[in-house]
Amino acid sequence: MNDQCDIVIIGGGPVGLALALALRGSGLTVHVLEARSPEGAASDPRALALSYGSRLLLDRLGVWQDIEQVSGIRTIHVSQKGALGRAVLCASELDVSELGYVLPYPALHHALQQALQASDITYLTAAAVTQLQSEANGAHISYQHGGTDHILTARLAVVADGGKLLEASHPFKVTEYGQSAVITHITCQYPKPDTAFERFTSQGPVALLPYMDGYELVWTADHEQAQQMLQWDDATFLAQLHAHFGDRVGNFTGVGKRSCFPLRLRRAPDTTLPHTVLLGNAAQTLHPVAGQGFNMGVRDAWELAQVILNCTPDALGAEAMLADYRKSRRLDRNAGIRFTDGLVRMFSNDLPLLSSGRAASLSVLDCLPFAKKFVAKRMMFGANG
Ligand SMILES: Cc1cc2nc3c(=O)[nH]c(=O)nc-3n(C[C@H](O)[C@H](O)[C@H](O)COP(=O)(O)OP(=O)(O)OC[C@H]3O[C@@H](n4cnc5c(N)ncnc54)[C@H](O)[C@@H]3O)c2cc1C
């Protein structure tokens, strides 16, 4: 079977679904091909910290009010273990109601999926793309669905698959951090509602994101240590976390199911190929230290939708349109990658000189309102503002 359409979105993760929703009602024929079943995302253990800017975009997509189980972040406390210096960012100082939000990946995915199922977009689940050929006359997408092989030809293919499909054929630049993140839900003695903690340690950052009765924990360590952390019994895990994080929320009292993700920076040198755009994690996979991955991906999706909606019908997928997209994302993308990578490199070590420099930077950030506003604005809205 060989079909044609205007746009094929490969991957119905949160970024691919956000793009599809932004194209609703455009008159373009859009197909989303998602490998998982409709319930497949329900078991994804990740919690996401969403920026205020992402909330505004999800509002524009009409899904924000349908996301269940969201907790707000009004204060972010940044510190480093074993050294002076800390910075506190508060929503009230920055004239916003919240700095960000914490929610489970499945809750976000569910709301996006529900909205898409009620739209004019063709959304196929259990449809795994096996090959993409980006050619001068269009993109040819091979996929399997219902036990049959299919081919779709599109004027524009959008790769939003998280990064696997082109892994072998595209010259991605990869920086291995040698770290994994152990994630889980924890409860503690003295939770501070609405306050997120980011603590830098020589083994990597540890983040506590306020969620419901406790925190979503992101604890980074080298790969071997992270594997050991998965094996610890609950009491050992909670005691070790207390020793590592310190006393800011008292003793840790409960821990949920633990999962582990290896971390690296993987970026495509070019986010376009003929008749093809790479989006979200497929374009750049970031360390979660600053919670930027989805936030950057949804800005990718929004900008791409604007470029598509503003181009003339015959320009869809043409080089001029692709160049407009690259230009619109260059500054924000490069700044986000540099910011995240810089944080990991600067803070994941215990060199005395760097430690003093970090202490000074955090104190300066804490004391200078304009510096705080600059950093907070970047984290909330990206470099394009
Ligand atoms: C531990 C951890 C914590 C994180 N915390 C944050 C945070 O606090 N804030 C934040 O903004 N980001 C965070 N991130 C990053 C965030 O999870 C990603 O940036 C985001 O999920 C990217 O969305 P995506 O849609 O691009 O890719 P994905 O979420 O990976 O979705 C890709 C989709 O494509 C589908 N797919 C894959 N291959 C195929 C194929 N061949 N055919 C069809 N479909 C396919 C998959 O089934 C999936 O549904 C974190 C990441 C990790 C690992």
Side-chain angles (χ1 to χ4, degrees):
M1 200 168 129
N2 192 344
D3 284 328
Q4 299 215 336
C5 66
D6 291 317
I7 302 175
V8 172
I9 301 174
I10 302 169
V15 172
L17 294 183
L19 172 66
L21 285 177
L23 297 173
R24 271 175 305 186
S26 62
L28 295 163
T29 48
V30 181
H31 290 232
V32 180
L33 304 177
E34 165 54 45
R36 296 193 275 206
S37 70
E39 301 77 34
S43 57
D44 196 304
R46 279 174 283 185
L48 299 176
L50 254 59
S51 68
Y52 185 71
S54 294
R55 178 226 162 118
L56 297 180
L57 291 182
L58 292 169
D59 245 340
R60 287 190 200 174
L61 294 175
V63 291
W64 178 253
Q65 75 282 357
D66 297 326
I67 304 176
E68 290 167 1
Q69 310 157 315
V70 179
S71 292
I73 301 174
R74 295 199 175 81
T75 305
I76 302 178
H77 188 286
V78 187
S79 62
Q80 56 171 341
K81 189 181 175 193
L84 294 170
R86 63 135 179 75
V88 180
L89 305 176
C90 294
S92 54
E93 288 176 277
L94 298 158
D95 306 325
V96 287
S97 50
E98 283 98 9
L99 293 168
Y101 307 87
V102 183
L103 70 172
Y105 180 109
L108 172 65
H109 190 270
H110 180 70
L112 291 163
Q113 184 171 256
Q114 292 273 100
L116 197 68
Q117 281 165 338
S119 77
D120 57 347
I121 307 281
T122 305
Y123 175 45
L124 276 189
T125 52
V129 173
T130 50
Q131 197 182 19
L132 166 67
Q133 287 174 280
S134 301
E135 292 176 358
N137 64 347
H140 308 281
I141 299 106
S142 309
Y143 68 99
Q144 292 177 333
H145 180 62
T148 318
D149 292 331
H150 304 258
I151 297 179
L152 255 177
T153 296
R155 292 200 287 151
L156 180 68
V158 180
V159 184
D161 72 326
K164 293 183 204 85
L165 186 64
L166 300 181
E167 187 124 54
S169 60
H170 202 64
F172 289 100
K173 293 184 181 166
V174 177
T175 306
E176 294 293 351
Y177 293 122
Q179 294 178 350
S180 289
V182 173
I183 62 170
T184 186
H185 182 77
I186 48 162
T187 50
C188 61
Q189 224 175 348
Y190 308 121
K192 296 197 169 49
D194 315 328
T195 300
F197 294 91
E198 181 90 51
R199 189 156 172 78
F200 292 100
T201 81
S202 58
Q203 79 174 40
V206 54
L208 265 61
L209 307 171
Y211 188 65
M212 300 293 167
D213 61 339
Y215 291 93
E216 293 299 320
L217 172 72
V218 184
W219 184 355
T220 47
D222 68 43
H223 301 305
E224 201 184 325
Q225 253 175 318
Q227 288 306 317
Q228 283 168 11
M229 283 152 67
L230 294 178
Q231 307 303 323
W232 289 339
D233 61 45
D234 288 359
T236 307
F237 188 89
L238 295 170
Q240 292 285 346
L241 178 60
H242 191 202
H244 188 64
F245 178 76
D247 231 5
R248 286 202 164 84
V249 292
N251 289 325
F252 292 102
T253 51
V255 55
K257 188 168 176 263
R258 288 165 243 166
S259 311
C260 186
F261 288 81
L263 305 177
R264 59 183 184 159
L265 167 63
R266 200 192 57 120
R267 58 201 185 283
D270 206 338
T271 54
T272 65
L273 298 167
H275 291 273
T276 302
V277 173
L278 277 63
L279 207 66
N281 265 31
Q284 64 276 319
T285 305
L286 306 178
H287 192 293
V289 58
Q292 289 294 300
F294 171 74
N295 292 306
M296 186 175 291
V298 75
R299 296 198 294 270
D300 285 350
W302 183 261
E303 285 295 336
L304 179 58
Q306 304 320 302
V307 171
I308 291 171
L309 296 173
N310 289 328
C311 79
T312 55
D314 53 349
L316 182 67
E319 176 48 31
M321 188 228 103
L322 300 176
D324 280 350
Y325 172 70
R326 289 195 301 271
K327 191 171 164 212
S328 75
R329 293 301 298 141
R330 188 168 297 131
L331 174 69
D332 184 34
R333 178 173 188 260
N334 289 342
I337 291 172
R338 273 201 305 272
F339 176 62
T340 304
D341 186 48
L343 277 181
V344 180
R345 287 171 192 276
M346 184 172 162
F347 281 96
S348 297
N349 62 71
D350 47 13
L351 300 172
L353 253 180
L354 272 182
S355 173
S356 319
R358 290 187 303 245
S361 315
L362 288 175
S363 304
V364 167
L365 177 64
D366 204 42
C367 295
L368 295 181
F370 72 85
K372 264 191 198 181
K373 276 202 170 158
F374 177 80
V375 171
K377 207 170 151 247
R378 272 286 167 97
M379 291 184 71
M380 286 190 288
F381 303 110
N384 288 349

